[in-house]
Amino acid sequence: MTDTKRPREPFAPWDRRSLPGLFDVDETAERIGYYKWVEIKLFEALGGWVATVPELDVKLRLGTHCYHHAWHAELFDKRLPELREMQTERLTVPPNDHMVEFFESMTEPEAAHLTIEKLVGVYRVLIPHKIAAYTYHRNGTSEITDMPTIRILDFILQDEFNDWREGEMLIQSMIESPEELERAMSHQTKLEKIMLAAGGIAGPGSIGDPYVEIVEKN
Amino acid sequence: MRKIFPAEELARDSRFIRQSNEQRMGDPRGARIAGGNAGDALAKLTPGLPNGPDRARALMHGIFVGEIQALEGAGRTCWDFELGDEAPLALKLDMARQCWDEARHCEISVVLAEHMGTELGEYAENALLYEAACNPDPVLRLTGVNRALEGLAIDVFNTMKEFGNMAGDPVLEFCEDWMLADEVTHVKMGSDWLRRLTENDKDRLDKALEFQKVVDRLFSFNGFRGEEDDSPIQLTRRFRELAGFTDEEIDEIADMSRDARSEAIT
Amino acid sequence: MVQVSVKPESFEMVLYDAAVIGEVVAEVAERLGVDEAITLNIDETSPLGRSKILSYDPIDLWVDGGALENTQRPRNFGQARSRDTIGRLLLRILDRRSGRFDDAPADDELDLSQFAAWDVHNVGRLERIGLGGQKKRRLYQFRNRHGFTDTADAAFEELWGSSELSWAEIERISVGCRP
Ligand SMILES: [Fe+2]
Ligand SMILES: [Fe+2]
């Protein structure tokens, strides 16, 4: 018979989650507001581009990915009130004006012959930056107090990796000449410069700061 | 990228040939619609008709291009409107969900076309569905597309499902069954949003219902879609009820079809 | 050159040219070894795809305008579709004249399955001499009349790939695979 009175540790020996995290409630809510804004802008753009892209496989992938990012926006939207933000629109904002400029540039291409540019903006610039910021957040936040955010980010990151891979393969399949490669690279550079100024999808500190500050000793 | 993207510019590869509405309606033999023809003697679309399989093939191609346009239309509704009272986030999320569904419907249709021996682009494409999706008012857009056109899709898919069942075609029946489930969801989205966004705006509600009627009428000529035994596409009461249509609304579509039919006969 | 007379000589509802149609009919006839005069009656008011043989000797054919139409461009003439339509009719005539089809029912007594089976055999032969094809379309029609089964598919392949079957053989294959 099981001895129901025998005490056990609340954390099993293999459960090494730790309490401290990088963000307090307000900081978490602020970052999630930025993420939500980015996801909305992205799903709107993907939806808009569907009609402008003649390549049938790309058209169908954009339609599919459009929903993935809408769902991410919905997950973040539901998380905000749990972080004491009842007016969710209040935090659904870009981290800075550079991010607004980034989306304006990313969504500029419309013509049917610009599929490479459309894909590069999303799959070579934006999504890698999203993966970076989400990973930093996921790994840095408290594994106990902020587990709901980690759970959301895990689901989302799974989508991001899959979508990134599909998008990257579409790009590779569309680049057939040095000129097209040049187009892809120069568009990427243009957008990366704006992203650099923005500091990442959540502004400066999107992926933390790895540099060590040296304090003068003498 | 512009807001409101014109139907004439919908991006297609070289396999697809566009037929304008003027060309379609201007065909002196009667406008063609969904594998049938306004001038045909009416007959329910079944495998037993001598040209049944070929009409089903043509209809399936019409469905395929309709799915592409439904995808494009739902995508544009995500983009064309600023987030806010005009287009709340929840509405846009529904439209994004519809994008995914329609993308799957395109994939299903491609497989079905292959199954039925139809090449992509084998028939002319008409952009009527997408045109309804260009309405500048999101409520009218959802009413014209989700309630009128996707309501028609419910009728068409159910007819095709029965066609597959009668022919003993497990692939067709299976695919139509799944698409029918999604389509009922999309029509319900249209019904729900129409109600929510026009709750305090009778004028907008009237305009939306009028727009729906205009679109419904386009597909009712000659009793093409109706409740008579020989209507090629059968009006589907049960699924329309699930999708938020009232009995009166279904009666109205049935009446519209009967009127169009008697007009064509006289 | 085979003499073809196309009726009507000009069209109001479709954008067809009787001379072009005559050339296509003559080309198909020559490929099939038919060298006698052919009359082709077209009902331009109908966009359907029906066709029939009004008379086997002399050759007098009737088609819906739709049977010659380009499905991508409604009201326009479609060469491939026309080759298929005319080819099937002429092969039926040649079959019936061969002695192998003396026991076949008259055209208007053939049921949908028999028609479908004979058509498969016709289109398979046409494809091999470079006149049309659309094998999968024919398979779909055949399955609708004979069932969506492996047995029906095997029967289809036999009809499609055989060179000159008799009516008795077509009938045996068709009946043998029906559910
Ligand atoms: Fe659909
Ligand atoms: Fe739909």
Side-chain angles (χ1 to χ4, degrees):
Chain A
M1 216 99 105
T2 308
D3 177 0
T4 58
K5 296 290 180 200
R6 195 170 154 209
R8 280 174 69 101
E9 291 288 355
F11 292 92
W14 56 86
D15 184 351
R16 309 302 295 165
R17 284 176 298 149
S18 63
L19 185 66
L22 292 176
F23 316 107
D24 63 20
V25 173
D26 286 349
E27 286 165 332
T28 304
E30 191 182 31
R31 282 185 75 105
I32 285 186
Y34 299 150
Y35 300 162
K36 182 185 150 195
W37 185 87
V38 167
E39 296 287 2
I40 290 173
K41 288 289 160 196
L42 176 55
F43 93 73
E44 289 176 344
L46 293 175
W49 270 331
V50 171
T52 72
V53 164
E55 296 84 3
L56 207 44
D57 53 344
V58 179
K59 199 185 271 293
L60 301 187
R61 283 307 90 203
L62 294 188
T64 304
H65 292 187
C66 170
Y67 174 66
H68 295 171
H69 302 293
W71 184 62
H72 304 165
E74 191 180 9
L75 291 175
F76 289 135
D77 183 59
K78 285 186 174 147
R79 183 72 181 129
L80 283 173
E82 299 164 358
L83 299 165
R84 294 196 299 255
E85 182 50 67
M86 300 304 152
Q87 304 293 144
T88 56
E89 309 83 57
R90 201 182 66 82
L91 289 185
T92 310
V93 290
N96 51 48
D97 290 346
H98 296 295
M99 207 57 209
V100 177
E101 187 196 345
F102 175 84
F103 271 96
E104 280 167 3
S105 282
M106 192 191 88
T107 58
E108 206 174 72
E110 179 190 87
H113 62 273
L114 296 178
T115 303
I116 288 176
E117 281 76 1
K118 295 168 193 169
L119 294 175
V120 162
V122 174
Y123 297 99
R124 284 199 172 163
V125 184
L126 181 60
I127 287 190
H129 280 276
K130 286 172 70 189
I131 290 174
Y134 292 168
T135 302
Y136 168 67
H137 192 149
R138 189 241 168 273
N139 291 352
T141 197
S142 165
E143 289 174 289
I144 294 175
T145 61
D146 197 21
M147 201 56 198
T149 300
I150 291 179
R151 186 172 151 79
I152 287 172
L153 287 172
D154 280 344
F155 284 132
I156 292 174
L157 277 166
Q158 199 179 344
D159 273 348
E160 299 292 337
F161 282 118
N162 287 336
D163 292 1
W164 165 77
R165 177 171 42 215
E166 281 190 341
E168 172 60 26
M169 289 180 79
L170 288 173
I171 295 169
Q172 289 184 20
S173 73
M174 290 204 59
I175 295 177
E176 293 181 306
S177 67
E179 292 71 33
E180 285 167 337
L181 179 63
E182 197 55 52
R183 268 172 53 197
M185 302 300 277
S186 72
H187 192 64
Q188 181 174 353
T189 305
K190 175 183 152 192
L191 291 177
E192 283 286 11
K193 281 181 182 164
I194 309 173
M195 186 63 90
L196 179 67
I201 66 157
S206 282
I207 58 167
D209 178 4
Y211 289 97
V212 180
E213 210 158 301
I214 307 280
V215 184
E216 295 259 344
K217 285 195 180 125
N218 350 313
Chain B
M1 176 171 36
R2 279 166 291 178
K3 301 287 180 190
I4 311 287
F5 188 72
E8 307 78 62
E9 292 180 43
L10 284 179
R12 294 284 181 278
D13 68 39
S14 60
R15 288 171 294 187
F16 295 83
I17 310 281
R18 184 75 48 83
Q19 187 197 26
S20 70
N21 279 329
E22 295 71 45
Q23 287 172 328
R24 194 175 70 94
M25 301 307 285
D27 189 332
R29 302 168 302 171
R32 289 204 140 184
I33 176 169
N37 189 277
D40 291 3
L42 286 180
K44 184 179 172 188
L45 179 55
T46 66
L49 294 176
N51 64 351
D54 250 354
R55 277 179 65 177
R57 264 168 23 86
L59 178 55
M60 194 55 232
H61 193 276
I63 293 172
F64 165 58
V65 293
E67 298 296 355
I68 298 178
Q69 292 173 33
L71 162 61
E72 294 170 324
R76 291 306 299 188
T77 303
C78 294
W79 171 257
D80 285 343
F81 305 105
E82 287 308 322
L83 207 55
D85 292 341
E86 190 185 29
L89 180 62
L91 180 145
K92 288 200 176 195
L93 295 178
D94 272 354
M95 290 298 103
R97 170 60 198 227
Q98 191 174 335
C99 276
W100 182 26
D101 295 348
E102 305 300 1
R104 288 199 316 281
H105 293 179
C106 291
E107 292 166 347
I108 294 168
S109 304
V110 168
V111 175
L112 266 182
E114 160 90 14
H115 170 71
M116 296 168 99
T118 308
E119 284 161 37
L120 302 190
E122 187 176 328
Y123 297 88
E125 177 182 7
N126 178 269
L128 198 66
L129 191 151
Y130 181 81
E131 280 160 21
C134 287
N135 196 294
D137 182 341
V139 172
L140 268 66
R141 214 180 256 205
L142 261 86
T143 313
V145 175
N146 289 54
R147 274 170 66 85
L149 289 166
E150 304 205 72
L152 173 69
I154 287 184
D155 302 331
V156 170
F157 289 165
N158 198 49
T159 301
M160 288 291 267
K161 184 173 170 238
E162 282 177 19
F163 187 102
N165 177 281
M166 278 185 253
D169 180 347
V171 180
L172 182 61
E173 197 189 358
F174 176 87
C175 293
E176 300 294 340
D177 190 36
W178 278 101
M179 295 208 283
L180 184 56
D182 289 339
E183 237 45 91
V184 170
T185 308
H186 299 167
V187 179
K188 191 170 180 310
M189 277 177 193
S191 300
D192 291 348
W193 282 112
L194 173 66
R195 229 151 275 154
R196 277 167 75 174
L197 293 180
T198 61
E199 221 164 23
N200 302 312
D201 193 342
K202 171 86 172 58
D203 190 42
R204 201 173 177 201
L205 174 68
D206 290 345
K207 268 193 203 136
L209 290 175
E210 186 50 42
F211 185 56
Q212 183 186 330
K213 247 179 243 167
V214 170
V215 180
D216 266 331
R217 214 169 277 138
L218 283 173
F219 288 92
S220 295
F221 55 75
N222 198 18
F224 162 76
R225 179 267 311 275
E227 279 189 310
E228 315 305 318
D229 288 345
D230 58 359
S231 297
I233 301 297
Q234 297 283 311
L235 184 66
T236 315
R237 281 193 176 258
R238 189 164 70 87
F239 293 117
R240 281 179 174 268
E241 280 161 18
L242 286 177
F245 274 80
T246 63
D247 284 345
E248 295 77 52
E249 285 175 322
I250 303 173
D251 288 342
E252 206 175 323
I253 296 171
D255 289 344
M256 193 187 283
S257 180
R258 265 187 288 271
D259 290 349
R261 182 193 179 97
S262 53
E263 266 167 41
I265 291 167
T266 51
Chain C
M1 182 91 169
V2 178
Q3 196 204 323
V4 181
S5 85
V6 175
K7 296 177 186 173
E9 285 170 5
S10 65
F11 300 88
E12 309 274 308
M13 299 182 125
V14 289
L15 309 166
Y16 293 0
D17 179 337
V20 174
I21 296 173
E23 279 169 27
V24 171
V25 174
E27 178 210 335
V28 174
E30 270 159 34
R31 297 290 295 280
L32 293 173
V34 175
D35 55 8
E36 63 211 87
I38 297 173
T39 303
L40 175 64
N41 303 275
I42 302 167
D43 177 2
E44 65 162 331
T45 65
S46 171
L48 299 179
R50 294 166 302 184
S51 60
K52 63 184 169 199
I53 297 160
L54 296 177
S55 155
Y56 278 77
D57 196 5
I59 297 177
D60 195 355
L61 312 175
W62 177 93
V63 296
D64 279 319
L68 309 179
E69 192 173 12
N70 179 342
T71 52
Q72 286 189 309
R73 293 185 170 82
R75 297 179 70 204
N76 283 270
F77 179 67
Q79 292 232 352
R81 184 99 185 264
S82 300
R83 286 198 188 102
D84 176 88
T85 300
I86 303 300
R88 281 185 294 123
L89 293 172
L90 292 181
L91 270 180
R92 271 218 323 266
I93 291 173
L94 292 176
D95 278 348
R96 283 201 189 270
R97 288 176 175 179
S98 69
R100 290 177 284 116
F101 283 71
D102 292 350
D103 51 348
D107 285 355
D108 51 11
E109 283 163 20
L110 290 167
D111 65 28
L112 293 173
S113 307
Q114 290 171 320
F115 244 122
W118 195 352
D119 264 350
V120 169
H121 186 44
N122 288 338
V123 183
R125 286 182 287 172
L126 288 173
E127 191 207 36
R128 283 191 289 282
I129 57 167
L131 289 175
Q134 287 194 302
K135 185 176 182 181
K136 288 198 159 166
R137 172 185 171 198
R138 293 293 158 193
L139 174 62
Y140 179 66
Q141 282 173 342
F142 186 77
R143 284 169 164 177
N144 264 282
R145 306 296 175 218
H146 293 84
F148 288 74
T149 64
D150 291 347
T151 320
D153 287 2
F156 173 88
E157 286 300 335
E158 192 180 353
L159 289 164
W160 182 272
S162 301
S163 55
E164 281 189 335
L165 295 172
S166 66
W167 173 251
E169 288 165 317
I170 291 178
E171 178 73 343
R172 175 186 56 77
I173 297 168
S174 170
V175 171
C177 71
R178 289 183 215 168

